[in-house]
Amino acid sequence: GLYHNNVKNSDSSLASEEAQQEQEEMNLSQLSNRSTSSSSNNKNEQNDKEQTWTWFNSDLNEYYNKLEKEIKNRDPNNVASIAVHRWMGEKRSTVIHYELIQQSIVKYLLPAQTQQDEEEARELRVFDAGCGLGSALVWFERKNPNWKLLGHTVSEDQLKFIDERLQGHKFDVNLLSYDDLNQSVDAIYSIEAFVHSPNYKNTLKAWSNQLQNNDSDDNDDGIIVIIDDFLSNGANKDEEEVQAFRQSWLANTLVTPLEFADAAAAVGLRVVEDRDLGTEYQIVKLNYRNQVPDVSLLPDHDQKTHQGWLGSKLRQRLMVHGKLTYRMMVLQKNHRKPQQTTQTTKDLRCEAVPSMEKDKPNQTSIDFPQIEPQLMSGIGKHGGSKMECISGWYCCNKGTQMWDDTEQNRTDNTAFLKLPRHLFGHYMTSFAKHLNQFYQSMPSTNTATTAAKGKFLDIGATGSVAKGMTQVTSKFLHFAGPLDYWMLDSDPSARNLQTNALACDITDCPSAPTCGFDVTFSHTVLEHASKPWDAFDTIARITKKGGLTMHLVPFSYHFHATPEDHYRFSHSALTSLVEDRGFTV
């Protein structure tokens, strides 16, 4: 618990949010009462024995005090047993969170020469925003004895546990909101606590104001690491289950990663890492066993009644359904004060693709060899040999002929069962046309001799060597035209490529630079993505403003697990996936 409901705030929007939340809780309570009343009409005898959920009216102090009384076997000598957040990974570890935060702090704040020598590492001031029972503080104190650690909690029982049972610690803990940080710090971390903020924009502003900002190049600017639940991009906030989770979990801050990044940018913070821990540590598979729990407005007879247990079930349902993600977001303080602007986050962070300017009539377009709609084997460094068709399973430029044959011989002519003929042209011809148009719009200043030379990213470029395919390294090299050709692949063999290669899964690839590519491209790859919506989130993030993205995916095709096979797409599904992320088809 990190924010007490009685903490004063003059922001009118906060008052509005609190009033809205109170009304929502009243509505849920009334719904629960109606359910109880209905049950009593049908089962008078059982009604006397029914339990109801215990609600705390947004009071995080009482919420966590009561929750702690329901949890037994806390061992102050075992850091893992006093963590108040979920475990992750096959070893069911609750300290992975601390290891990830440690890695981020070392990466962004400690000079390279001290990363291997903790004794000589500079002293850091680190703030735990919502310290719970102090498990993270204990872990960091043991790992980094030279750090000055501070934690805030609004739970009286949590503070009592720290003061009375965590003997010998040197860190300080205050019974305060995490917004009430009144000293400068180098790093702030928050584990499953940021979600409780009644006004996340005010919280980010308060933290940004106290985060170290170095004017010299000797030390990097301070960072914030948040590990918490985020609403999936495109999820409906007003959906009943989402609202029920928000109320029962006291998830006052339930925002998408894009909304979060916009709010951070407005207060001088930039997103330097966005990791989907839910996917990375297979939470749906390992923690939830791919199961969707039943949720009732009334707890079972043998069930705990704290509203948080209802929230945990709803959290599981939303994650399994893909509406909630569990992420680690790393923010870093900008050197300069943020400018007042109405631009979006993408505008602030993205360099646009160079393009011809209408007011410069003498400007010439970039010189490049015309892109030909030619399939290549991809063996070697220069594209390999020419191919007429990848395999007999492909249309092989026979699409329109197939459509015409079907039209002439069809036994039924129901309109809504027919696809339009224009969808059956040769995809290579379409790709080549759009690439030539795109490159012709680039000014001649964007040449190989300038630092502004752009990049073409081939997603899934190397093939599934692990499943017996031959590795390729230049299959669509000729599509790059005047740009540098880059490859991205999740196959383990991709790690052995020395240059212009990213070894990662497109659904979660922090190493791919934000707004780093002029063209993003994939050829029969995205059907293999376990969560294609996450893949397109990454594609939207790494494609420059004004950039081009092109993808070939199957609509009707046999099973081909290289390494896995998950989805088939209609043309309208593919259109929705890209338009929802800001692209124009």
Side-chain angles (χ1 to χ4, degrees):
L2 301 224
Y3 215 103
H4 196 283
N5 67 320
N6 290 327
V7 174
K8 295 181 179 179
N9 195 307
S10 60
D11 194 304
S12 60
S13 63
L14 174 56
S16 176
E17 289 178 13
E18 288 177 337
Q20 179 184 0
Q21 182 177 350
E22 181 179 355
Q23 182 62 45
E24 289 168 349
E25 289 175 349
M26 288 175 62
N27 292 340
L28 187 58
S29 176
Q30 291 167 2
L31 182 58
S32 177
N33 290 336
R34 288 198 298 270
S35 298
T36 304
S37 175
S38 175
S39 176
S40 65
N41 291 334
N42 297 325
K43 300 178 182 180
N44 291 326
E45 293 181 1
Q46 286 188 356
N47 185 58
D48 294 336
K49 300 178 180 179
E50 281 181 346
Q51 300 184 83
T52 57
W53 294 109
T54 304
W55 297 88
F56 298 95
N57 299 320
S58 303
D59 189 337
L60 275 170
N61 180 23
E62 288 302 315
Y63 178 95
Y64 276 103
N65 289 347
K66 177 64 175 178
L67 188 63
E68 192 54 39
K69 289 179 174 64
E70 293 189 4
I71 300 177
K72 309 298 180 183
N73 302 321
R74 296 289 197 191
D75 181 1
N77 298 313
N78 182 356
V79 170
S81 78
I82 61 175
V84 291
H85 52 77
R86 64 157 38 112
W87 55 266
M88 293 195 301
E90 294 183 353
K91 296 182 179 180
R92 302 169 67 94
S93 171
T94 55
V95 302
I96 289 179
H97 303 69
Y98 316 146
E99 295 169 353
L100 292 172
I101 294 170
Q102 170 85 12
Q103 292 167 10
S104 294
I105 291 176
V106 169
K107 177 180 179 180
Y108 293 103
L109 295 183
L110 297 180
Q113 66 269 22
T114 66
Q115 291 182 13
Q116 302 299 325
D117 190 347
E118 294 182 2
E119 293 184 0
E120 296 182 6
R122 66 187 178 96
E123 178 182 289
L124 294 179
R125 295 157 297 172
V126 180
F127 175 56
D128 187 332
C131 62
L133 298 175
S135 58
L137 291 168
V138 171
W139 190 90
F140 283 115
E141 186 168 272
R142 293 173 181 173
K143 184 74 174 177
N144 310 281
N146 58 326
W147 289 7
K148 185 176 181 180
L149 300 167
L150 171 67
H152 281 190
T153 177
V154 296
S155 168
E156 295 165 348
D157 282 11
Q158 288 180 346
L159 181 61
K160 182 179 179 181
F161 180 93
I162 293 170
D163 288 342
E164 296 181 0
R165 302 194 64 187
L166 297 185
Q167 301 296 323
H169 67 264
K170 298 180 181 179
F171 55 80
D172 296 322
V173 176
N174 298 322
L175 187 66
L176 289 172
S177 156
Y178 50 35
D179 281 9
D180 294 332
L181 178 63
N182 57 7
Q183 57 183 279
S184 178
V185 294
D186 298 287
I188 298 171
Y189 66 86
S190 179
I191 305 172
E192 297 188 16
F194 182 74
V195 72
H196 293 312
S197 172
N199 190 312
Y200 71 99
K201 295 179 180 179
N202 284 358
T203 296
L204 288 174
K205 182 178 180 181
W207 291 354
S208 180
N209 289 340
Q210 296 297 345
L211 204 59
Q212 181 66 35
N213 193 328
N214 294 295
D215 295 328
S216 69
D217 294 330
D218 295 336
N219 294 317
D220 292 320
D221 295 328
I223 66 168
I224 298 171
V225 184
I226 295 174
I227 299 178
D228 220 320
D229 297 302
F230 288 83
L231 198 66
S232 298
N233 291 320
N236 183 3
K237 290 185 178 182
D238 297 324
E239 185 177 313
E240 184 179 1
E241 281 192 346
V242 174
Q243 286 299 317
F245 167 71
R246 180 175 176 267
Q247 296 158 35
S248 55
W249 199 251
L250 294 188
N252 305 313
T253 290
L254 199 56
V255 296
T256 67
L258 293 176
E259 289 173 324
F260 175 83
D262 281 336
V267 294
L269 301 166
R270 65 186 184 278
V271 177
V272 293
E273 280 190 37
D274 176 6
R275 293 175 64 172
D276 184 352
L277 301 184
T279 299
E280 192 172 335
Y281 289 94
Q282 303 181 74
I283 287 175
V284 169
K285 176 183 177 180
L286 299 178
N287 296 56
Y288 297 150
R289 302 181 183 274
N290 298 310
Q291 296 179 356
V292 179
D294 292 329
V295 175
S296 171
L297 283 173
L298 298 175
D300 298 332
H301 293 300
D302 58 348
Q303 190 176 14
K304 297 181 177 69
T305 61
H306 190 290
Q307 69 176 72
W309 302 115
L310 172 62
S312 67
K313 284 189 174 185
L314 290 164
R315 185 192 201 194
Q316 179 175 342
R317 286 181 65 89
L318 293 174
M319 279 207 70
V320 175
H321 286 151
K323 299 174 184 177
L324 203 65
T325 65
Y326 192 64
R327 314 185 81 85
M328 182 176 84
M329 306 287 284
V330 183
L331 308 174
Q332 191 161 31
K333 185 80 174 267
N334 291 326
H335 270 298
R336 298 179 300 275
K337 293 183 179 179
Q339 297 179 350
Q340 297 298 321
T341 177
T342 58
Q343 290 178 298
T344 65
T345 300
K346 192 166 185 178
D347 292 330
L348 291 169
R349 293 184 295 161
C350 267
E351 174 188 354
V353 173
S355 60
M356 302 282 284
E357 299 180 32
K358 294 181 179 180
D359 59 349
K360 294 183 179 180
N362 296 326
Q363 194 174 26
T364 59
S365 63
I366 193 170
D367 184 23
F368 70 96
Q370 288 291 297
I371 308 302
E372 299 296 333
Q374 178 64 57
L375 287 166
M376 305 294 293
S377 68
I379 305 299
K381 297 181 179 180
H382 305 291
S385 58
K386 295 182 179 180
M387 302 174 66
E388 290 299 322
C389 187
I390 291 181
S391 78
W393 293 102
Y394 285 67
C395 292
C396 302
N397 200 15
K398 303 290 185 181
T400 52
Q401 179 183 329
M402 289 177 171
W403 193 95
D404 291 340
D405 290 344
T406 302
E407 183 68 13
Q408 293 173 9
N409 298 290
R410 64 170 63 247
T411 58
D412 187 270
N413 207 33
T414 304
F416 64 77
L417 296 178
K418 296 170 62 176
L419 285 168
R421 189 176 186 272
H422 73 83
L423 292 176
F424 286 75
H426 191 26
Y427 65 88
M428 289 294 291
T429 301
S430 181
F431 282 158
K433 179 188 73 173
H434 287 288
L435 283 169
N436 285 322
Q437 291 175 350
F438 182 73
Y439 294 148
Q440 287 168 1
S441 71
M442 287 184 166
S444 58
T445 53
N446 195 42
T447 65
T449 60
T450 69
K453 187 178 182 183
K455 297 177 182 178
F456 177 102
L457 180 65
D458 187 353
I459 300 165
T462 69
S464 183
V465 179
K467 282 299 185 78
M469 297 177 68
T470 300
Q471 186 181 64
V472 296
T473 55
S474 58
K475 196 173 189 69
F476 290 98
L477 171 65
H478 60 301
F479 272 14
L483 309 181
D484 282 335
Y485 180 67
W486 279 72
M487 296 171 286
L488 182 153
D489 209 297
S490 61
D491 191 85
S493 65
R495 301 183 185 279
N496 299 324
L497 299 175
Q498 298 299 314
T499 58
N500 290 17
L502 297 169
C504 64
D505 189 326
I506 188 60
T507 62
D508 182 28
C509 186
S511 59
T514 297
C515 307
F517 300 95
D518 300 67
V519 179
T520 48
F521 167 82
S522 71
H523 182 278
T524 61
V525 169
L526 297 177
E527 70 269 25
H528 303 288
S530 59
K531 295 183 178 180
W533 46 91
D534 286 343
F536 279 102
D537 282 346
T538 300
I539 290 166
R541 177 179 65 82
I542 66 179
T543 306
K544 288 182 180 179
K545 180 184 178 183
L548 177 67
T549 195
M550 305 189 305
H551 306 279
L552 177 71
V553 290
F555 172 56
S556 177
Y557 196 66
H558 64 83
F559 181 76
H560 57 300
T562 53
E564 298 175 348
D565 191 12
H566 291 285
Y567 288 91
R568 298 295 179 266
F569 304 83
S570 68
H571 63 290
S572 54
L574 191 61
T575 298
S576 176
L577 282 165
V578 293
E579 286 186 340
D580 285 351
R581 287 155 180 82
F583 290 100
T584 300
V585 177

